Amino acid sequence: MAESIIISGTTKEEKYTSLLAQLKSLAEEPDVYAALGNIISALKYGMDFFWIGLYIVKNNELVLGPFQGTVACTRIGFGKGVCGNAWKNKKTIVVDDVDTFEGHIACSTESKSEIVLPVFGKTGDVLMVLDIDSTRLADFNSMDELKLTEAVHIIESIVNR
Ligand code: SME
């Protein structure tokens, strides 16, 4: 199993492609926490995200799981904030300007845009959400959504085995 990641490519898309291949290798670690921790770290440092983390569904709320970045909110209710809405609607949400999203939960005043993707269990229920924040406005587009959906499929392969 790889113990470091090497990102090749100059465009953001090329970097994602290079990184995704290595995420599959990190997913081979049999321990769920070890595998998820490394995947979140690889995404953070590979793509230079400001903040990235998983919020895990526990007792009908989202609880902070493996993350990389500044200290964050620990619990989010169903339908609350961007994360709670992605959970409730079972859909990826891209927010170009967090100030325009009603009910946005600001864990850091530095976050300006955000993408949240649901992570599904075998029966189609949401097990967790992947939340990524940027300090730049409108930093996530359809290409990010496509590539991060591939990353979510790798996370699903870990949590559903
Ligand atoms: N902004 C998120 C809360 C989590 S932090 O961004 C890390 C939300 O509105 O759900």
Side-chain angles (χ1 to χ4, degrees):
M1 189 199 66
E3 285 175 1
S4 62
I5 54 155
I6 298 159
I7 302 298
S8 56
T10 46
T11 68
K12 202 177 183 187
E13 189 168 7
E14 286 167 348
K15 287 180 183 171
Y16 272 123
T17 302
S18 155
L19 180 59
L20 282 162
Q22 295 169 81
L23 294 189
K24 284 179 190 154
S25 162
L26 293 174
E28 288 169 16
E29 159 58 46
D31 185 271
V32 173
Y33 298 109
L36 290 181
N38 261 345
I39 286 197
I40 295 301
S41 172
L43 280 162
K44 156 85 172 138
Y45 290 98
M47 300 308 297
D48 198 23
F49 291 133
F50 169 66
W51 193 95
I52 177 168
L54 290 164
Y55 278 94
I56 300 167
V57 176
K58 286 184 190 172
N59 300 323
N60 213 35
E61 64 180 347
L62 290 169
V63 182
L64 184 63
F67 76 99
Q68 291 277 333
T70 49
V71 168
C73 325
T74 53
R75 289 168 193 271
I76 297 172
F78 185 69
K80 303 290 182 194
V82 188
C83 292
N85 270 282
W87 175 21
K88 184 178 176 184
N89 299 318
K90 299 188 167 190
K91 287 254 186 325
T92 293
I93 301 177
V94 177
V95 181
D96 286 343
D97 179 352
V98 294
D99 288 339
T100 65
F101 189 96
E102 204 184 322
H104 169 260
I105 299 164
C107 295
S108 165
T109 52
E110 288 189 66
S111 290
K112 301 287 182 243
S113 62
E114 174 163 3
I115 183 169
V116 180
L117 305 97
V119 176
F120 293 102
K122 281 178 187 156
T123 55
D125 47 333
V126 175
L127 298 181
M128 49 186 75
V129 299
L130 176 65
D131 178 15
I132 306 175
D133 291 10
S134 172
T135 55
R136 291 178 290 272
L137 288 166
D139 207 17
F140 303 104
N141 59 25
S142 54
M143 186 275 295
D144 291 277
E145 183 172 346
L146 194 74
K147 294 296 190 181
L148 289 168
T149 299
E150 286 184 47
V152 162
H153 290 330
I154 295 168
I155 291 171
E156 286 168 343
S157 76
I158 295 167
V159 295
N160 287 309
R161 66 191 172 200

